[in-house]
Amino acid sequence: MNIIDLHCDVLLKLWEAKGALRYADAPALQANKARLQQGQIKVQCFAIFIEPDIPSDQKFHAALGQIDYFYKEVLAGNPDMVHIKEWSDFDRLKIGQIGAMLTLEGVDPIGNDITKLAALYHLGVRSVGLTWNFANLAADGAEEPRGAGLTSFGRQIVQQNNQYQILTDVSHLSERSFWDVIEIAKYPIASHSNARSLCNHPRNLTDEQAKEMFNRGGMIHVVYHSPFVKEGGTAEISDLIKHIDHFCSLGGVKQIGLGSDFDGTSHLVKNLGDASKCQNLINELLKYYTEDEVKGFASQNFLDHRPGVKQ
Ligand SMILES: [Zn+2]
């Protein structure tokens, strides 16, 4: 069954390796192309993520560097990888092709310059998360002790996302930032977050947050990073399915998707250690849910809720 995966950190690894990794089949990449093919990933989102220790004045340059690897290593090296630039491109993928979409995890690279963000849209970024774990000029992240919300610059970014029909990603936001964003974001998404009531981690969403996401037509994509699935020890696929069950119990059966976090963690759910294993999750889900529901989680729910599609 085809899968749309809303989050991986392949670009960070390609950029850090400075050309030493081949995207097609490098064993060091959990979401390399060969593994996407084996796992039936139909669309993979590629996050631009700049580590906090990169000096501020080099962050935008680093973001462009990761985009360069997206174009020259992911796309140019692999004619069967197709760049998703518009929301309608999902409908044009042919058998054997894999869609690749750029996302931004934290707006730190743009500093205080919103024009740089518009430039990133033009290069293909279709989903923007305001923060990683800490604070920046837009908002506070989930692990920033201050726990503040959106700045006026952050608000301007969400409004610009709305105007360009770009997703605004709430994964990684502080609770206060989440509530500020959800008030104004037309296209909210949680690209890689689980349920906090099952696994008490600040990166996970409370039931109130999840319900508000569902009320507002947003998607929640569950993440395979074990510490967000289960407290202590390595999580199993059955533990991950409990998060899906829980979000369903909150009314989200048609608004749940998948967001692996491949290449952003080495601590993944057992039997879900790289993209080639993704059908293990699908097969397990098919024991408890109808084929239509599982197809929804795997891809259709996202397709139904992407910007520009009438609900
Ligand atoms: Zn992340």
Side-chain angles (χ1 to χ4, degrees), residues 5-12 44-51 58-68 70 83-84 87 100-133 136-138 153-154 157-158 160-161 166-173 187 189-192 203 261:
D5 181 348
L6 261 284
H7 190 84
C8 81
D9 283 304
V10 160
L11 296 183
L12 176 64
Q44 179 65 56
C45 292
F46 293 80
I48 301 158
F49 169 64
I50 307 305
E51 302 258 30
Q58 292 169 32
K59 285 182 198 281
F60 191 65
H61 178 76
L64 293 178
Q66 292 189 13
I67 294 171
D68 189 35
F70 177 75
H83 190 184
I84 301 271
W87 296 114
M101 188 174 101
L102 277 175
T103 67
L104 179 62
E105 185 171 33
V107 297
D108 309 61
I110 67 163
N112 64 354
D113 184 355
I114 200 156
T115 307
K116 285 184 176 157
L117 187 62
L120 296 183
Y121 303 152
H122 298 311
L123 288 167
V125 168
R126 285 294 167 270
S127 173
V128 172
L130 296 179
T131 67
W132 189 58
N133 289 335
N136 59 25
L137 296 176
F153 181 58
I157 291 172
V158 176
Q160 186 175 272
N161 288 346
I166 302 290
L167 297 168
T168 299
D169 190 351
V170 302
S171 289
H172 281 287
L173 289 179
Y187 312 108
I189 190 169
S191 66
H192 57 310
R203 274 282 286 101
D261 211 6

Side-chain angles (χ1 to χ4, degrees), residues 5 8 47 51 71 90 173 177 202 207 214 220 226 231 234 265 292 311:
D5 181 348
C8 81
E51 302 258 30
Y71 277 91
F90 286 86
L173 289 179
S177 300
D207 288 358
F214 299 145
I220 299 178
S226 186
E231 293 167 39
T234 298
T265 169
D292 266 4
Q311 284 167 44

Side-chain angles (χ1 to χ4, degrees), residues 287-304:
K287 294 181 187 167
Y288 308 101
Y289 290 94
T290 66
E291 197 173 337
D292 266 4
E293 286 167 339
V294 179
K295 222 174 147 184
F297 305 146
S299 64
Q300 195 60 44
N301 291 347
F302 176 79
L303 293 174
D304 291 344

Side-chain angles (χ1 to χ4, degrees), residues 171-225:
S171 289
H172 281 287
L173 289 179
S174 72
E175 273 195 71
R176 177 95 190 272
S177 300
F178 170 91
W179 290 107
D180 288 348
V181 164
I182 200 75
E183 278 301 314
I184 54 172
K186 263 193 185 166
Y187 312 108
I189 190 169
S191 66
H192 57 310
S193 290
N194 291 336
R196 203 184 294 184
S197 65
L198 301 187
C199 179
N200 188 14
H201 192 288
R203 274 282 286 101
N204 285 339
L205 298 169
T206 65
D207 288 358
E208 289 67 33
Q209 290 177 310
K211 280 191 265 183
E212 191 64 12
M213 285 292 286
F214 299 145
N215 282 340
R216 295 196 180 243
M219 286 285 298
I220 299 178
H221 292 251
V222 296
V223 55
Y224 316 161
H225 177 52

